[in-house]
Amino acid sequence: QTVVTQEPSLTVSPGGTVTLTCASSTGAVTSGHAPNWFQQKPGQVPRALIYSTNNKHSWTPARFSGSLLGGKAALTLSGVQPEDEGDYYCLLYHNGAPEFGGGTKLTVL
Amino acid sequence: EVQLVESGGGLVQPGGSLRLSCAASGFTFSSFWMHWVRQAPGRGLVWVSHINPDGTTTDYADSVKGRFTVSRDNAKNTLFLQINSLRVDDTAVYYCGRINYPGDTWGQGTLVTVSS
């Protein structure tokens, strides 16, 4: 069974930059895994931020960017805002079947 | 406006069944792969199942294979999830969603509680 791994938690200061990563137990993450990133705040429905590695939705703030970095998928937040605090989930496709990572709890402090 | 509205959740005893529905509007439903994702209380997101645009291809997470069946009615713009042999660990909010497309959207979710 494929396992997708994210950092359990990260802390960043307001205005700072942070990178969240998403690794696959099968090896290096590529664009073929079509990485997606989602944000979820307490009590809310998850909201899509990035699809197919680095594509933003119309509502995705410019400070969010997706990439491939060191064999992993990455989500970088530049100029972090207090409202960015929440849980972030990546999703990877393996042989056509999606799998979520365990999520990263981002604290802005 | 793209919208997905789930229904059909509720309290059910272990071993019971439910049929979840997801009504879609605001987009050409029949053109998109559709997914079910669940989230147990206080836990992360778990992909459950997906179905291709014409309903001929489906796939499931190992934890639900043989118990869950996804289907769709493109004439009625509706996605379904038949869940059988429910277990306590199936307790979760079930979301339907359109994933990996521009303008992805998720429904508000429907809560399934499995308890005796």
Side-chain angles (χ1 to χ4, degrees), chain B residues 26-40:
Chain B
F27 66 102
T28 307
F29 178 72
S30 59
S31 296
F32 292 89
W33 284 77
M34 295 297 296
H35 301 256
W36 288 99
V37 173
R38 69 183 181 182
Q39 187 171 34

Side-chain angles (χ1 to χ4, degrees), chain A residues 1 34-36 38 40 44-46 48 51-52 57 59 89 91 93 96-102, chain B residues 33 35 37 39 43-47 50 59 62 95 99-109:
Chain A
Q1 183 180 345
N36 280 248
F38 302 86
Q40 187 178 33
Q44 296 187 15
V45 176
Y51 66 98
S52 292
H57 296 284
W59 55 79
Y89 297 91
L91 176 145
Y93 281 79
E99 184 87 32
F100 281 98
Chain B
W33 284 77
H35 301 256
V37 173
Q39 187 171 34
R43 305 296 296 275
L45 301 175
V46 175
W47 177 79
H50 67 184
D59 200 2
D62 288 345
Y95 298 102
I99 296 174
N100 203 39
Y101 295 102
D104 284 353
T105 193
W106 293 44
Q108 290 299 306

